[in-house]
Amino acid sequence: MRVLLVEDDALLGSGIRDALEQARYAVEWVRDGALALEALRCANIDLVVLDLGLPKLDGMEVLRRARELGAAVPILVLSARDTTLHRIGGLDAGADDYMAKPFDVDELLARLRALERRARGATVNLIRYGAIELDTSALAVTFNGQVVELQRREFMVLRKLLENIGSVMSRQQLVDNIYGWDSDLESNALDVHIHNLRRKLYPELIRTVRGVGYVIDPLPVAARQDA
C-alpha cells in the first residue's frame, strides 16, 4: 500500500513517515503542493495524507485540482486548520477524511485503514484466502491458524497480491508498492520476497507469469465454499 505524504514540516513529516513505514506502508514524502499535485498526476498512489499550509501551492488547491483531474485516491487532510468551517471546506472540496493537528498517530493509522476498507469495499481488516488470513490492523498473517512470521516487505508483497486476486501484478507495480522513490533496490530483491512467501506459506500460492509478473489465482469454487 503506497501512501503519498504531503507535509512541509521536516520534523513532523519524518515522524509520520516513520510511523507509516512501521505500519508497513510504502511512503512517498513531498514537502510542497506543486510536487504533491505532480505525484498525483504521475504516480501510482493508494492513499494521501495531505497538509493544507504548504509552500508553492496550498493544500486546498491541491485537493481541488486533484479531484478536477479525476483522481479518485482516498485523501485524508491532516491540518492545523481545525475550525468547523475548515473541516467542512476540506470535506466539500473532496477530502475523504479530515484530522486536526495535534493528532494521535494510532488514530491516524486507524482512519487510513478505514479509508482502505472503503476503497476495496470491505468492512473488516481481514483479508482471507483459503487457509490464509492477513490482518491489516495487527500486521499479522496466519496459515491454517498458525502465525507466519513475515518480514515487512514480504507482508507488503503478499497483501498487494491478495488485494488483487486473479490480476497479474507486474514487477514494477509490486516494486512501486513496497519501495519508496529514494530506496536502494537490489535487482533480485522482489524475487527473494516471492521465494520466501512460497517457502513460508506454500509453493503454489504465487504463480509466475513469465515476462510480466506474479499473480495469486482465484480459489476453485469448492475451496471458496470450504474456506
Side-chain angles (χ1 to χ4, degrees):
M1 187 65 64
R2 198 175 189 190
V3 177
L4 176 65
L5 170 61
V6 190
E7 173 58 63
D8 65 320
D9 184 284
L11 184 61
L12 180 58
S14 177
I16 297 172
R17 179 195 58 194
D18 291 348
L20 291 173
E21 288 181 345
Q22 287 175 13
R24 302 187 179 183
Y25 291 102
V27 182
E28 312 296 356
W29 178 19
V30 298
R31 305 188 188 193
D32 67 64
L35 286 175
L37 196 58
E38 185 64 22
L40 286 168
R41 285 194 183 105
C42 303
N44 180 22
I45 301 295
D46 298 301
L47 293 167
V48 180
V49 177
L50 176 66
D51 184 24
L52 295 183
L54 298 169
K56 296 188 179 179
L57 191 66
D58 186 75
M60 284 293 289
E61 189 61 24
V62 172
L63 183 56
R64 292 192 190 96
R65 292 192 193 181
R67 295 313 190 203
E68 288 172 0
L69 290 168
V73 58
I75 299 176
L76 184 150
V77 169
L78 185 63
S79 175
R81 302 175 189 174
D82 62 353
T83 68
T84 299
L85 285 177
H86 284 133
R87 292 194 293 272
I88 291 172
L91 294 168
D92 282 346
D96 297 275
D97 200 356
Y98 195 112
M99 286 186 70
K101 299 175 182 176
F103 63 96
D104 181 86
V105 170
D106 289 336
E107 182 183 355
L108 172 63
L109 295 175
R111 286 176 182 250
L112 290 176
R113 290 193 296 270
L115 292 179
E116 293 171 40
R117 292 197 304 271
R118 189 186 309 166
R120 58 186 174 91
T123 57
V124 296
N125 293 321
L126 285 177
I127 302 174
R128 295 186 176 92
Y129 178 84
I132 297 172
E133 285 192 357
L134 184 148
D135 189 326
T136 62
S137 175
L139 304 177
V141 173
T142 61
F143 179 53
N144 287 326
Q146 301 297 312
V147 174
V148 179
E149 297 293 340
L150 297 182
Q151 299 298 317
R152 181 170 71 94
R153 284 171 173 156
E154 293 167 4
F155 181 96
M156 294 165 75
V157 171
L158 179 63
R159 175 177 177 175
K160 190 68 173 178
L161 290 170
L162 287 176
E163 288 176 338
N164 294 274
I165 295 292
S167 298
V168 178
M169 305 300 296
S170 71
R171 294 179 62 87
Q172 192 59 52
Q173 284 175 309
L174 291 171
V175 166
D176 287 347
N177 186 68
I178 63 176
Y179 290 94
W181 291 328
D182 298 326
S183 298
D184 293 328
L185 176 63
E186 295 182 9
S187 60
N188 69 334
L190 179 60
D191 302 295
V192 172
H193 299 324
I194 296 292
H195 169 79
N196 288 340
L197 287 170
R198 287 168 170 160
R199 176 175 56 83
K200 293 178 180 181
L201 294 164
Y202 58 94
E204 300 79 17
L205 172 64
I206 302 170
R207 179 167 61 87
T208 301
V209 181
R210 295 196 180 279
V212 182
Y214 300 95
V215 62
I216 293 180
D217 291 313
L219 289 168
V221 174
R224 291 200 298 270
Q225 292 173 343
D226 293 339

